[in-house]
Amino acid sequence: MRRARIITGLATAGLLALSACSSGSSGGGANPADGKPPKIDKLASLGAGEGQVNIVSWAGYVENGTNDPKVNWVTDFEKQTGCKVNSKVAGTSDEMVTLMKSGEYDLVSASGDASLRMIYGGVVAPVNTDLVPNYSDVRDFLKMKSWNSVDNVSYGIPHGWGANLLAYRTDKVSPAPTSWSVVFDNAAANAKHITAYDSPIYIADAAMYLMAHKPELGIKNPYALDDKQFNAAVDLLKAQNKNVGEYWSDYTKAVQALKSGNTVAGTAWQVIVNLAEADQAPVAAVLPSEGATGWSDTWMVAAKAKHPNCAYKWMDWIISPQTNAQAAEWFGEAPANPKACEFTSDKGHCDKYHAADAAYASKIWYWTTPTTRCLDGRTNVTCKDYAAWTQAWTGIKG
């Protein structure tokens, strides 16, 4: 919440436009001819630091006191390891992919809608988790998942996670919603006051809804859609479009829309709800009966990292209990390391973000890059990749 308030007041226009885990509106799919990532060796052993590390990250993940003198986990890292941190903030997943392809960066905090593109593209290397001591403490439900591993090979270190919740105005929506139907099949009741996340990855939200309400489509994974399934999701979103007042990617604007009443129901993050509630807006949020999409951000090492030892030292540092607590609280998410909950300044932070609730986490379909290789295990059909999702999103919004 503190991070959100500071960014809201920043004069820098670029930072104002950042969203915590935004997908870009362009970018290709991840479609290797043989269905496997290129062979890249992981680091075999940890050596001395190279003196620096070049990082691409979401805003709020690499804080050195510039935004708030009290928020700084970079300086101690530099002192303890001798690795100077050079960081570049990316505004979208597509920007992250592009920056990592440049070969100038060692490390990236990738969301699931970028990670597979970089894995299959040979941009990032497998991670030797034995060289990251704090990895053993990371919650099991975040390890070796479809967005951070391929064929039982780990490509990243989980950092934090959260759900895309259904937020609503308690003075406008009654009874309290328990289903995403309020923004899909019943959206007309609040025409032009529905909000949705502005990204091709939002197609997964429609697919997830159809999993529950049109089982005859056979959707098993909202990121693995064949032609028929994909077209059904796109049609649902086109029907929703006429009732959408605003698509958002800047979460500060989502806060304002809820506070003003321009939005009465739609997708939001917990931090959006927290900020609106802090300003006395009559809002609430729920993880609906169908579940929710969400994010689990992953630290990934460049395949040709010039400073791999410093990169590994950073990955261990950022998921250490105290640092993971600072980053998760500043960013507005659940920390990956359960020991971090002992060190948050707000002792209710982990409860608020359901950090220890595996049942809650199991209801989340974490962002994963759609590929032609169906992520639900089907081999008799071809699924729509991220490029197709991007093209369809343009048509959905009109």
Side-chain angles (χ1 to χ4, degrees), residues 180-188 202 205-206 209 236-237 240 243:
W180 287 107
S181 61
V182 70
V183 301
F184 288 123
D185 290 336
N186 301 324
Y202 184 66
D205 292 62
Y209 180 75
L236 180 61
L237 290 174
Q240 182 198 49
N243 298 308

Side-chain angles (χ1 to χ4, degrees), residues 13-354:
L15 275 178
L16 275 172
L18 291 173
S19 64
C21 296
S22 166
S23 306
S25 59
S26 62
N31 301 306
D34 62 357
K36 294 182 180 296
K39 176 65 175 176
I40 300 172
D41 292 331
K42 60 186 177 184
L43 191 66
S45 61
L46 192 62
E50 299 88 357
Q52 64 177 326
V53 61
N54 300 322
I55 300 174
V56 176
S57 76
W58 297 116
Y61 274 3
V62 185
E63 290 294 317
N64 62 4
T66 300
N67 289 321
D68 185 333
K70 297 178 182 178
V71 180
N72 183 353
W73 50 86
V74 169
T75 299
D76 282 346
F77 170 78
E78 293 176 330
K79 289 178 180 177
Q80 292 186 32
T81 64
C83 299
K84 183 181 184 299
V85 173
N86 306 306
S87 65
K88 168 73 174 178
V89 170
T92 68
S93 285
D94 288 339
E95 185 181 356
M96 283 188 170
V97 174
T98 299
L99 288 169
M100 290 300 290
K101 283 182 177 179
S102 74
E104 298 177 10
Y105 297 92
D106 305 299
L107 197 61
V108 60
S109 64
S111 292
D113 55 342
S115 54
L116 289 185
R117 283 187 277 168
M118 291 189 287
I119 291 170
Y120 284 117
V123 178
V124 294
V127 170
N128 187 341
T129 58
D130 292 339
L131 304 182
V132 186
N134 284 300
Y135 180 78
S136 62
D137 292 327
V138 169
R139 296 192 186 278
D140 288 339
F141 60 72
L142 299 176
K143 295 178 178 178
M144 301 300 293
K145 299 301 180 181
S146 59
W147 60 90
N148 59 28
S149 69
V150 175
D151 295 334
N152 295 315
V153 176
S154 175
Y155 281 83
I157 304 298
H159 170 108
W161 60 279
N164 298 317
L165 300 171
L166 171 58
Y168 61 96
R169 290 273 304 210
T170 58
D171 60 337
K172 302 289 186 181
V173 181
S174 181
T178 59
S179 165
W180 287 107
S181 61
V182 70
V183 301
F184 288 123
D185 290 336
N186 301 324
N190 295 292
K192 298 304 180 183
H193 294 287
I194 297 297
T195 193
Y197 188 55
D198 190 1
S199 167
I201 208 70
Y202 184 66
I203 293 172
D205 292 62
M208 181 191 64
Y209 180 75
L210 292 173
M211 284 174 63
H213 296 273
K214 288 196 174 181
E216 64 272 18
L217 288 170
I219 300 173
K220 303 300 181 184
N221 181 324
Y223 304 102
L225 304 176
D226 60 33
D227 283 342
K228 182 179 180 180
Q229 296 164 342
F230 185 76
N231 290 336
V234 169
D235 288 345
L236 180 61
L237 290 174
K238 286 181 176 178
Q240 182 198 49
N241 174 262
K242 61 180 178 288
N243 298 308
V244 172
E246 181 179 7
Y247 292 96
W248 68 271
S249 58
D250 178 349
Y251 74 94
T252 62
K253 292 182 179 179
V255 173
Q256 293 302 317
L258 273 172
K259 287 167 55 178
S260 69
N262 287 336
T263 289
V264 302
T267 310
W269 299 327
Q270 184 65 55
V271 68
I272 293 171
V273 178
N274 292 347
L275 288 168
E277 285 182 329
D279 285 337
Q280 309 303 312
V283 301
V286 63
L287 194 152
S289 58
E290 299 91 353
T293 60
W295 75 91
S296 173
D297 289 341
T298 302
W299 288 99
M300 310 180 83
V301 180
K304 298 180 180 179
K306 296 180 177 67
H307 313 101
N309 292 291
C310 281
Y312 268 78
K313 291 177 186 292
W314 173 265
M315 289 194 295
D316 194 50
W317 175 263
I318 197 65
I319 62 164
S320 63
Q322 288 178 298
T323 307
N324 202 212
Q326 292 179 76
E329 194 166 17
W330 178 250
F331 190 81
E333 64 184 353
N337 189 337
K339 293 181 179 178
C341 295
E342 302 173 27
F343 297 97
T344 55
S345 59
D346 174 5
K347 297 309 176 185
H349 177 86
C350 283
D351 289 338
K352 193 178 300 178
Y353 287 87
H354 302 272

